[in-house]
Amino acid sequence: MTTSDTDRERAAGYRAAYDAQLRDRGFAPGAPGTERVGPVLRRTLPRQGGLILYRDLGGLDGEALDAFIAAQREYFAARGLPVEWKYHGHDLPADLPDRLTAAGFTPGERETVVIGEAADVAGPPGGPPLPEGVRLRDVTDRADFDRIGELAEAVWADDRGWLAPALEEMATGRDGDACVVTVAESLAGEVVSAAWARFHQGTDFASLWGGSTLPNWRGKGVYRALVAHRAALALARGFRYVQVDALETSRPILNRLGLVIAATTVPYVWQPAADDRGDGAVNPA
C-alpha cells in the first residue's frame, strides 16, 4: 500500500468516526436549547441564533426535504433569529446546497474538517517553543473572556459581543461538555491569541476552536503552541482524537502538525430581515 493510499484510508477512518460520534450528537445529551427534530439536532444558542446539525437526513429528498428545510427556517424566523445549517461536502442528496439556497440560505466560507491523534499533535512534553515573552494561561474569569472578545473584534473587525458570554457559559460545563479556554499573552499582559477546547463526553473527540492571533504575532509559533497545548489537555483527559473546522489560513499549519483532511463543511446561513430580529441576535458561531 502506498503512502497516499494509507493517508486516504486514515482519513476515511477518521471521517467515519467523526460522522458516527460527533455529527449525530452535536452537543452533550440534554444540552439546554437542544431538541431532536426528525433527522436533525436543532439548537438555539443564547445571543447567537440557531444551529442545525445531523449525521444524515434519513433519506429526505425532493419536496419533502424542501418542506423540512422551510420548517426549520420558519421556526427561527418566528423568533427573529438567524440559523446556520451545517452542510458537509459528503451529505446527500447531492443537490442539498441548491435546495438550501432556494430556501434563502446563503453559503459562507468553506472550512476543512481536519482530525488527528491527540498524542501525535501534542508532541513531546512541554509542547513547541513559544516566542520570547509569551506564555500560555488557561483562564476562567469573565474579565479574561472579555479580553478575548476584544481580541476577536480587533482581528475580524466585526461585532463579537456574543463571544465573552458564550465562553463563560461553555466554561461552566453546564451543557455536559467540559471546556478549557486558553490565552497566549505577552509579559505586558496583552492577549495576542486565544483558543478553547471542548471535550465531548461519550466520544473519542475533543474539538479545537478559536485561534485568532494579532497580525504582528503571526508566523511566530503562537497558534501552533496553542494547538499542541490543547491536544495535551485532550490526551490527559483520555480523548484519542482532536478535530478542527479549519479555515485556509490555519489548515496548512494543522496539516503539518499531523491533522489530516477528513471532510469539508460550509455554513449555510439564513438571516431574518433587520426589522424582524430579536434582541441581541447575531450570526451563529
Side-chain angles (χ1 to χ4, degrees), residues 166-257:
L167 289 173
E168 187 174 39
E169 177 66 23
M170 286 190 292
T172 66
R174 279 195 289 265
D175 70 357
D177 284 341
C179 176
V180 174
V181 183
T182 306
V183 296
E185 59 188 0
S186 70
L187 296 182
E190 179 186 30
V191 175
V192 303
S193 187
W196 50 100
R198 306 213 67 195
F199 306 99
H200 302 292
Q201 67 170 5
T203 79
D204 295 320
F205 284 88
S207 58
L208 310 185
W209 303 91
S212 299
T213 305
L214 292 176
N216 57 315
W217 286 96
R218 293 172 191 164
K220 301 178 185 295
V222 175
Y223 178 70
R224 182 170 178 265
L226 279 167
V227 172
H229 172 75
R230 289 173 291 160
L233 293 177
L235 187 63
R237 291 169 179 253
F239 291 88
R240 177 179 175 181
Y241 304 123
V242 290
Q243 173 263 323
V244 185
D245 288 356
L247 295 172
E248 280 305 298
T249 50
S250 56
R251 182 192 56 75
I253 300 170
L254 293 164
N255 289 159
R256 289 195 294 271
L257 288 172

Side-chain angles (χ1 to χ4, degrees), residues 42-151:
R42 183 171 71 191
R43 189 176 193 192
T44 302
L45 299 164
R47 293 175 54 85
Q48 297 176 60
L51 188 59
I52 302 293
L53 302 172
Y54 52 92
R55 177 180 179 181
D56 60 58
L57 294 175
L60 273 177
D61 202 351
E63 293 182 358
L65 177 55
D66 291 338
F68 185 79
I69 293 171
Q72 307 319 306
R73 179 194 65 209
E74 293 308 309
Y75 175 87
F76 290 99
R79 291 155 178 78
L81 294 172
V83 56
E84 174 188 322
W85 184 293
K86 192 172 177 64
Y87 165 77
H88 287 71
H90 57 288
D91 284 348
L92 295 174
D95 64 355
L96 178 56
D98 295 333
R99 295 183 181 279
L100 288 167
T101 301
F105 288 74
T106 301
E109 185 174 358
R110 190 180 80 163
E111 298 178 344
T112 303
V113 178
V114 294
I115 299 172
E117 304 281 341
D120 295 338
V121 178
L130 281 160
E132 184 177 355
V134 173
R135 65 169 182 168
L136 301 184
R137 182 169 62 92
D138 297 334
V139 297
T140 57
D141 293 340
R142 176 57 185 260
D144 286 311
F145 300 149
D146 288 334
R147 295 166 72 211
I148 293 170
E150 293 167 2
L151 164 75

